[in-house]
Amino acid sequence: MKISKELISESEIQSKINEIGDQINEDYEGQDLLIIGILKGAFITVSDLAKRLKVDVSFDFISVSSYEGTETSGQVKIEKDLDIDISGKNILIVEDIFDTGLTLSYLKKILDSRNPKSLEFMCMFIKDTDKTTSLDIKYHGFKIGPEFVVGYGLDFEGKYRELPYLAVLS
Ligand code: IMP
Ligand code: MG
């Protein structure tokens, strides 16, 4: 497979990250924030965002799996849980892409039961597909079509995550 088309450029992505970073700095001013990145896809979004933040922030990561190849399996499994106790903390979950919403609604259920002070979501890309669930996404980057995309953390069978832009495969 080859990359056929750049959908969203590196500079568009970076200016969106700046915008979201500014908003987070404003919203959490004077408060602690724990950012939870969902591995592996969110590692690039989290690291770019981290450099923009001025609030008192810490980071943790959780690993879940729901996909094989280009099709969702409908199953979500925790592969690696958090290291940090989230009770009483302001939590922002950072995800690469919101497709059916299965992953995030599952995580919300689990993390809500650990009694955080607040729990919000940021998704870099929102897919225009049927959502199995409605979830309030506080910060989002770009709305995109239903096609399978790679780059900026997103992979196809482990490849293409390193691309600084978002692309579709041919
Ligand atoms: P959801 O649970 O259906 O919302 O799926 C979200 C997860 O599916 C994301 O964290 C991605 O890992 C994966 N995913 C969904 N769409 C794509 C895509 O177009 N490219 C790569 N991964 C995707
Ligand atoms: Mg993912």
Side-chain angles (χ1 to χ4, degrees), residues 38-42 64-67 95-97 103 153-155 161:
I38 304 182
L39 293 172
K40 303 179 176 118
V64 296
S65 62
S66 65
Y67 260 63
E95 169 68 311
D96 48 10
I97 193 165
T103 310
L154 290 157
D155 72 306
R161 293 192 198 274

Side-chain angles (χ1 to χ4, degrees), residues 10-150:
E10 179 174 8
S11 65
E12 285 175 282
I13 289 175
Q14 290 307 321
S15 66
K16 186 65 80 175
I17 288 281
N18 287 345
E19 226 174 84
I20 295 173
D22 288 347
Q23 192 61 54
I24 292 172
N25 288 330
E26 201 178 304
D27 293 348
Y28 292 92
E29 196 184 348
Q31 300 179 68
D32 291 353
L33 177 63
L34 173 62
I35 289 188
I36 297 177
I38 304 182
L39 293 172
K40 303 179 176 118
F43 80 107
I44 291 186
T45 304
V46 170
S47 69
D48 280 352
L49 183 68
K51 291 174 268 181
R52 307 287 160 205
L53 297 179
K54 299 187 174 82
V55 292
D56 192 353
V57 67
S58 356
F59 299 90
D60 200 358
F61 291 90
I62 192 167
S63 176
V64 296
S65 62
S66 65
Y67 260 63
E68 279 179 17
T70 58
E71 294 291 319
T72 179
S73 63
Q75 299 281 328
V76 178
K77 201 171 99 199
I78 291 191
E79 308 277 4
K80 181 219 162 278
D81 207 338
L82 298 170
D83 298 327
I84 298 179
D85 176 9
I86 65 167
S87 68
K89 297 191 175 128
N90 293 311
I91 306 299
L92 177 62
I93 300 189
V94 177
E95 169 68 311
D96 48 10
I97 193 165
F98 186 86
D99 185 4
T100 63
L102 189 76
T103 310
L104 291 189
S105 59
Y106 171 80
L107 267 182
K108 180 171 164 54
K109 216 162 64 188
I110 292 186
L111 298 183
D112 266 343
S113 75
R114 299 181 186 178
N115 301 312
K117 183 173 171 197
S118 66
L119 183 64
E120 302 288 355
F121 294 98
M122 168 186 169
C123 292
M124 204 49 209
F125 307 104
I126 312 269
K127 260 196 186 180
D128 183 19
T129 45
D130 280 348
K131 308 288 178 225
T132 54
T133 166
S134 68
L135 205 70
D136 193 17
I137 308 295
K138 189 166 189 188
Y139 308 101
H140 66 260
F142 301 91
K143 297 214 161 110
I144 61 167
E147 64 272 17
F148 192 82
V149 289
V150 294

